[in-house]
Amino acid sequence: MTDTSPFYITTAISYPNGRPHIGHAYELIATDAMARYQRLDGREVLFLTGTDEHGQKMQQTARKEGITPQELADRNSSEFQKMAVLLNASNDDFIRTTEPRHHEAVQTIWNRMSEAGDLYKDSYAGWYSVRDEAYYQESETELRADGVRYGPQGTPVEWVEEASYFFKLSAYEDRLLKHYEDNPDFIGPAERRNEVISFVKSGLRDLSMSRTTFDWGIKVPNDPAHVMYVWVDALTNYITATGYLTDPKGPRAKFWPADIHMIGKDIIRFHAVYWPAFLMSAGLPLPKRVFAHGFLLNKGEKMSKSLGNVVDPFDLVGHFGLDPIRYFFLREVSFGQDGSYSEEAIATRINSDLANGIGNLASRSLSMIVKNCDGKIPECGELTAEDTAMLAAADALLAATREDMNALMIHKALTAIIAVVSEADRYFAGQAPWALKKTDPVRMGTVLYVTAEVVRRIAILLQPFVPESAGKLLDLVAMPETKRDFAHFGEAGRLEAGTPLEAPKPVFPRYVAPEA
Ligand code: ME8
């Protein structure tokens, strides 16, 4: 049975204190593949991304650059928006936390937490990492030989003392643990779930929810000396975009709670501890799942905006092309684990799977049809056991990839698809349609038909991952735009004999490294 219920998926919203890097691109590509998959599978999808524009990090960077935080946010948010276009992301909205719609939602959720009796005024004294925008216990920090104290993510912390509102996070320990236990899929992958559970079990302290030593943030209702801690504001973006709080009868309210928050592993605590506690306090439904992908490492080395060894996604896409890059990251990295990339690894992967794999299979089989079958899709004659097995292998891909995607095993879905490409290569070589041309042209037609039909099914399933190239493959087999969703994956979309085909143009050219 196909599921047609609404599906809401989000990326983290990025800090626009610098230009987007490849880690941001990776998260957006993976989330886009998930969103496109569900859309093609019949769900009504809301896919949200955006920028997280308040906080001390933004204010400090702006000061260094001699501009206002708003100017910094405007400049870099537009780079993130350009990156979404560059990556062919199918996001339905792009939220900026400086927008009025967001201020309204954040103040609403604050008031609800306050009405629940979970906010109180006191003063904070402790360690803070501006780079992580995170408070840490002293036991989580270490003083290194350079005389600087570092937090658990390896970023410097500073001592902060100021008047602050607090959230009674300590009161939510048992409820959070019960929620993790009752909803085993709430946090993924398993390593992250274990990490969160042991963090909560080790005891939660009340959370400082506002700052008074700077002003770049959303003001606390009725207490304008305080701006909200940037994470209170940032996490609420997910609900802002649905209108659930501010426009409950609106068209998007049905998307809350979110199906999946896709984030990186460094921000799991905010999403799997603070966020559900805020929502419980405000009496709001919790997201169904928080899934943390790993980090991308540049030839094995950590990279980040703040460290300055960033790879520009615009350069990488300019060099290899968009779909090869999308494919590489989605296939190469076990989703949920860290992944390393290098030019050599990208070249090897895209040549073997795309150029020599599906690209070659499509061009060999379809050009034979154009040359030997009057430029029309041939009749499918009687099927042999090999034909039936080949079609069945392609057919099984829909259920298999659906299961993998639901489990966020994006790389496994692609592995399964490419395995069928290899099987089709073997089938094609084994049936040798070129040899049948003189001896048994009817049988040749059947082999070509079966191969083209397998190409069509593979192309349909490749759309979430390499949308433009998969679209070109579907053009090659003359599939109308209206028959490209998963409802047309099987018999309903089957190739029709007699449909004219054009000579295939190459869809996945081989990558050849430029001369040094
Ligand atoms: O954390 N590889 O913003 P951000 C993979 N504003 N993913 C990476 C990465 C890398 N090398 N570096 C960063 C924030 N990311 C907050 C989020 S959400 C309510 C607020 C991921 O710009 C990172 O894990 O530092 C996060 O999911 C996203 O990029 C934005 O990071």
Side-chain angles (χ1 to χ4, degrees), residues 11-17 21-27 51-53 57 80 131-133 230-231 233-238 262-267 270-271 293-298 301-305 338-339 341:
T11 65
I13 49 171
S14 308
Y15 292 122
N17 64 320
H21 60 64
I22 197 70
H24 296 123
Y26 175 61
E27 182 170 301
T51 41
D52 180 1
E53 308 191 352
K57 174 148 82 175
F80 279 91
R131 238 193 252 171
D132 302 347
E133 296 283 18
V230 63
W231 273 98
D233 151 10
L235 290 161
T236 307
N237 91 86
Y238 302 130
M262 288 276 235
I263 56 166
K265 64 178 186 179
D266 57 326
I267 55 174
F270 304 96
H271 285 80
H293 59 75
F295 261 48
L296 284 189
L297 307 171
N298 188 345
E301 291 225 356
K302 193 176 164 174
M303 47 134 224
S304 87
K305 225 156 33 190
D338 290 347
Y341 65 96

Side-chain angles (χ1 to χ4, degrees), residues 230-251:
V230 63
W231 273 98
V232 181
D233 151 10
L235 290 161
T236 307
N237 91 86
Y238 302 130
I239 225 167
T240 301
T242 65
Y244 186 87
L245 284 173
T246 47
D247 184 17
K249 291 211 167 67

Side-chain angles (χ1 to χ4, degrees), residues 9-48:
I9 189 165
T10 64
T11 65
I13 49 171
S14 308
Y15 292 122
N17 64 320
R19 289 171 53 78
H21 60 64
I22 197 70
H24 296 123
Y26 175 61
E27 182 170 301
L28 191 60
I29 290 170
T31 312
D32 183 56
M34 291 290 300
R36 286 179 184 269
Y37 193 98
Q38 299 299 335
R39 238 182 246 122
L40 286 162
D41 209 13
R43 308 280 298 263
E44 187 183 350
V45 172
L46 177 62
F47 166 20
L48 179 71

